[in-house]
Amino acid sequence: MKMANSLRGEVLNLYKNLLYLGRDYPKGEDYFKRRLKNVFLKNKDVKDPEKIKELIGRGKFVIKELEALYFLRKYRTMKQRYYSDVNKTD
C-alpha cells in the first residue's frame, strides 16, 4: 500500500503539470482539460504498480511532446517576426 501512496503523489503531480501545460494547447484549454480528465478517469481503477509506472511514463512523454510543440511554435513566431523570407518576390 505504501508504494501505491507514493505513486498517487506522482500521478497527481503529473496531472497538475499536464493541466498547466494545457493552458496553451492549440485546440483550446477546455478541449485539453476534457481529454485529460477522460484519460485519467479511464485509468483510475488501475492497481498494478508496474502498469501505473508505465502510464506515468506515457504521461511524461506527453509532457515532453507538448513542450516541444510549444517551443516549435515559439520558434516559428520569432522567425516570422525577425527574419524576412529571402525567397519571397514582391
Side-chain angles (χ1 to χ4, degrees), residues 32-76:
F32 188 85
K33 277 184 178 179
R34 197 169 43 252
R35 294 282 309 263
L36 182 64
K37 183 178 178 182
N38 289 339
V39 168
F40 272 77
L41 286 176
K42 184 179 99 176
N43 294 308
K44 74 176 184 173
D45 295 325
V46 175
K47 301 287 186 220
D48 180 29
E50 292 304 315
K51 180 68 175 170
I52 294 171
K53 287 179 184 177
E54 179 186 322
L55 292 169
I56 289 172
R58 190 177 301 163
K60 289 179 179 179
F61 174 77
V62 170
I63 286 175
K64 289 179 185 174
E65 290 292 313
L66 285 171
E67 288 171 343
L69 173 75
Y70 297 155
F71 180 77
L72 185 60
R73 186 173 63 186
K74 181 179 176 183
Y75 170 78
R76 286 180 179 161

Side-chain angles (χ1 to χ4, degrees), residues 2-3 6 9-10 13-14 18 25 38 42 47 49 51 53 55-56 59 62 66 68 74 78 84 87 90:
K2 180 140 175 107
M3 182 179 231
S6 67
E10 271 190 74
N13 194 28
L14 178 67
L18 284 166
Y25 194 69
N38 289 339
K42 184 179 99 176
K47 301 287 186 220
K51 180 68 175 170
K53 287 179 184 177
L55 292 169
I56 289 172
V62 170
L66 285 171
K74 181 179 176 183
M78 297 296 280
S84 63
N87 294 332
D90 290 331

Side-chain angles (χ1 to χ4, degrees), residues 8-21:
R8 184 177 190 278
E10 271 190 74
V11 170
L12 288 173
N13 194 28
L14 178 67
Y15 188 78
K16 288 178 187 177
N17 288 338
L18 284 166
L19 269 179
Y20 178 77
L21 287 172

